[in-house]
């Protein structure tokens, strides 16, 4: 077994030799390669060709996984491998190096050799199968107090592979495994030691569950209610429902349904979420409501009342708008009427003043006549 640099990749010990009757031959060092996500992979081959071909006759040699119009596509020109692929080739050997491997890189890789002669080329087929996998943290209970965390990969990694552990996203320690206290609220992830690689998803105990009742936590007798519980956790949590002051659980699973509700069903219910890392719970209180009827009737009544209330609200708003418009119109009419009479009065006063001036002018134009009487006349 031979790991790659840094112990990040392990190659399976199978060797494939591809030969042709015309003297072409491609020898792949390994036919199956398994790598951890984010690591660096090396795939090597050796090849021979007919003795009549000179080194100057070699036109091109490269690795590929895809074909376009029947022709192989050089990995160096494939956008999915941009800046991640290099070749180290010599006279009769060539090594493909892929850095930061992704799960989408899982494919069959083949080597091809072309000459200057039209149509003269050879491809080693079948090629090398690459499988890329991510790391996972496995949780095992050591005893009632401690949990053992192990960094796991579906690849068979080297015994010398080193792991780095992270606690709440920060570097914590190195080692093949890690002991943590049961019920810890911290988050742990791992990675292969080295400059490249992707951390595993973090493992952690359930966060405080979110619980809800549908259609309502206030229930009518004879109705039904569905309780739902959900908690963020990795590994995924298991759920158990309990009723206060009862020893045995009422149900298991995220959803708990109570049918034909009675006063005996009222009280505090709590959902417990649990996984290998710990547990957490939340409480919900169910309250009986006076009257009979099912939850369907209650829901329908609420909908009807809501619709009627909305209609009345719209009517009130419309009436208020119409009233405001009417008041504005009446105000404008009063202003117009007042302005009209003011104008008429002003005109009347002007005519009166003008008439008075004309009469005064006429009086000034008429000559005055005086009559004298003598005292001695008879």
């Amino acid at each position: 077994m031979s790991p790659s640099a840094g112990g990040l990749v392990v190659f399976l010990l199978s060797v494939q030799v591809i030969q042709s009757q015309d003297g072409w031959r491609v020898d792949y060092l390994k036919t199956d390669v398994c790598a951890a996500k984010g690591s660096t992979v090396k795939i090597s081959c050796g090849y021979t060709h007919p003795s009549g071909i000179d080194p100057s006759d070699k036109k091109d040699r490269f690795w590929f996984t895809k074909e376009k119009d029947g022709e192989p596509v050089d990995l160096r020109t494939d956008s999915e491998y941009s800046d991640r692929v290099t070749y180290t080739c010599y006279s009769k050997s060539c090594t493909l190096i892929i850095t930061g491997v992704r799960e989408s890189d899982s494919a069959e890789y083949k080597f091809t050799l072309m000459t200057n002669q039209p149509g003269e080329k050879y491809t080693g087929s079948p090629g090398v199968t690459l499988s890329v996998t991510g790391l996972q943290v496995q949780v095992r209970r050591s005893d009632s107090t401690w949990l053992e965390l192990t960094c796991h990969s579906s690849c068979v990694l080297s015994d010398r592979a080193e792991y780095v552990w992270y606690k709440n996203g920060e570097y914590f320690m190195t080692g093949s495994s890690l002991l943590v206290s049961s019920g810890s609220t911290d988050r742990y992830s791992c990675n292969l030691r080295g400059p490249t690689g992707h951390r595993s998803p973090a493992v952690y105990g359930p966060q405080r569950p979110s619980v809800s009742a549908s259609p309502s936590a206030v229930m009518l007798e004879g109705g039904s209610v569905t309780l739902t519980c959900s908690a963020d956790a990795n590994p995924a949590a298991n759920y158990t429902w309990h009723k206060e002051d009862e020893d045995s659980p009422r149900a298991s699973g995220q959803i708990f349904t109570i049918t034909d509700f009675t006063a005996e069903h009222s009280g505090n219910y709590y959902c417990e979420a649990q996984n290998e890392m710990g547990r957490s719970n939340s409480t919900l209180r169910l309250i009986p409501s006076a009257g009979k009827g099912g939850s369907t009737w209650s829901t329908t009544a609420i909908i009807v009342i809501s619709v009627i209330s909305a209609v009345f609200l719209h009517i009130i708003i419309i009436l208020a708008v119409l009233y405001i418009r009417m008041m504005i119109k009446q105000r404008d009419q009063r202003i117009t009427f007042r302005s009209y009479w003011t104008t008429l009065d002003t005109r009347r006063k002007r005519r009166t003043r003008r008439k008075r001036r004309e009469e005064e002018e006429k009086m000034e134009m008429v000559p005055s006549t005086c009559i004298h009487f003598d005292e001695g006349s008879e």
Side-chain angles (χ1 to χ4, degrees):
M1 186 172 296
S2 175
S4 70
L8 297 181
V9 180
V10 172
F11 302 97
L12 302 183
L13 294 179
S14 57
V15 177
Q16 173 122 357
V17 177
I18 311 297
Q19 299 186 54
S20 78
Q21 297 178 352
D22 298 328
W24 295 95
R25 170 173 165 164
V26 174
D27 301 338
Y28 293 112
L29 184 62
K30 305 289 184 293
T31 57
D32 293 279
V33 177
C34 188
K37 182 179 177 181
S39 61
T40 297
V41 171
K42 294 182 179 181
I43 302 176
S44 300
C45 77
Y47 62 90
T48 58
H49 51 71
S51 57
I53 298 178
D54 295 326
S56 60
D57 294 330
K58 299 175 184 176
K59 179 181 179 181
D60 203 359
R61 51 187 174 176
F62 57 83
W63 296 82
F64 71 96
T65 61
K66 306 172 186 174
E67 293 185 355
K68 183 178 181 180
D69 300 328
E71 295 296 326
V73 178
D74 190 341
L75 284 178
R76 291 172 296 188
T77 65
D78 191 331
S79 59
E80 294 183 8
Y81 293 86
S82 178
D83 299 324
R84 297 193 298 122
V85 167
T86 56
Y87 299 158
T88 302
C89 297
Y90 300 99
S91 60
K92 291 187 178 182
S93 66
C94 193
T95 298
L96 163 66
I97 304 173
I98 309 174
T99 59
V101 290
R102 309 166 182 170
E103 291 180 286
S104 59
D105 293 339
S106 298
E108 182 182 7
Y109 292 78
K110 300 176 184 178
F111 177 78
T112 188
L113 175 67
M114 299 180 180
T115 71
N116 293 322
Q117 301 299 319
E120 190 173 42
K121 64 180 179 180
Y122 184 73
T123 297
S125 184
V128 178
T129 299
L130 171 64
S131 301
V132 181
T133 181
L135 297 172
Q136 299 290 332
V137 177
Q138 293 184 333
V139 183
R140 185 180 68 85
R141 181 166 292 279
S142 178
D143 53 37
S144 60
T145 305
W146 296 97
L147 300 173
E148 182 181 17
L149 309 184
T150 305
C151 203
H152 173 74
S153 169
S154 58
C155 289
V156 180
L157 300 179
S158 168
D159 293 337
R160 292 177 295 171
E162 294 184 71
Y163 298 96
V164 178
W165 290 93
Y166 299 88
K167 178 180 178 180
N168 299 324
E170 301 292 334
Y171 171 81
F172 185 52
M173 61 172 292
T174 60
S176 58
S177 62
L178 179 66
L179 285 178
V180 300
S181 60
S182 178
S184 170
T185 58
D186 297 311
R187 299 182 177 221
Y188 296 92
S189 58
C190 68
N191 196 1
L192 285 164
R193 187 170 186 175
T196 61
H198 285 254
R199 296 182 193 178
S200 70
V203 294
Y204 51 93
Q207 306 302 294
R208 183 176 177 82
S210 171
V211 293
S212 62
S214 178
S216 171
V218 180
M219 289 301 302
L220 293 173
E221 185 176 348
S224 63
V225 61
T226 298
L227 308 182
T228 305
C229 183
S230 178
D232 179 25
N234 188 35
N238 297 314
Y239 300 91
T240 307
W241 290 92
H242 302 262
K243 190 172 186 295
E244 191 177 41
D245 299 328
E246 291 186 2
D247 296 331
S248 301
R250 281 293 186 101
S252 60
Q254 282 189 266
I255 298 175
F256 172 35
T257 301
I258 301 174
T259 58
D260 195 17
F261 188 87
T262 65
E264 295 180 354
H265 290 114
S266 63
N268 290 328
Y269 290 80
Y270 68 91
C271 166
E272 182 178 72
Q274 179 179 1
N275 67 3
E276 293 90 336
M277 296 293 293
R279 65 183 66 194
S280 182
N281 65 72
S282 287
T283 302
L284 176 70
R285 182 172 181 81
L286 292 182
I287 304 172
S289 176
K292 287 184 174 287
S295 59
T296 302
W297 179 91
S298 176
T299 303
T300 304
I302 292 173
I303 294 174
V304 171
I305 293 172
S306 299
V307 171
I308 294 174
S309 300
V311 171
F312 272 110
L313 179 61
H314 279 79
I315 293 174
I316 292 172
I317 293 174
I318 293 172
L319 291 175
V321 171
L322 293 175
Y323 176 77
I324 292 172
R325 288 182 177 177
M326 183 183 68
M327 295 300 293
I328 293 174
K329 186 176 182 181
Q330 290 179 352
R331 184 197 63 184
D332 293 342
Q333 288 177 345
R334 286 195 299 269
I335 294 173
T336 302
F337 183 76
R338 188 180 298 111
S339 176
Y340 172 75
W341 284 107
T342 301
T343 303
L344 287 179
D345 185 60
T346 302
R347 289 178 180 177
R348 184 181 60 79
K349 289 179 179 180
R350 286 177 180 174
R351 285 198 301 268
T352 301
R353 285 196 299 269
R354 187 167 56 250
K355 187 176 180 180
R356 186 177 298 166
R357 282 196 305 270
E358 290 175 354
E359 290 176 352
E360 289 176 353
E361 291 175 356
K362 287 180 180 180
M363 291 296 293
E364 291 176 357
M365 294 177 64
V366 175
S368 59
T369 303
C370 299
I371 301 176
H372 298 278
F373 296 93
D374 293 333
E375 294 180 356
S377 66
E378 293 180 358

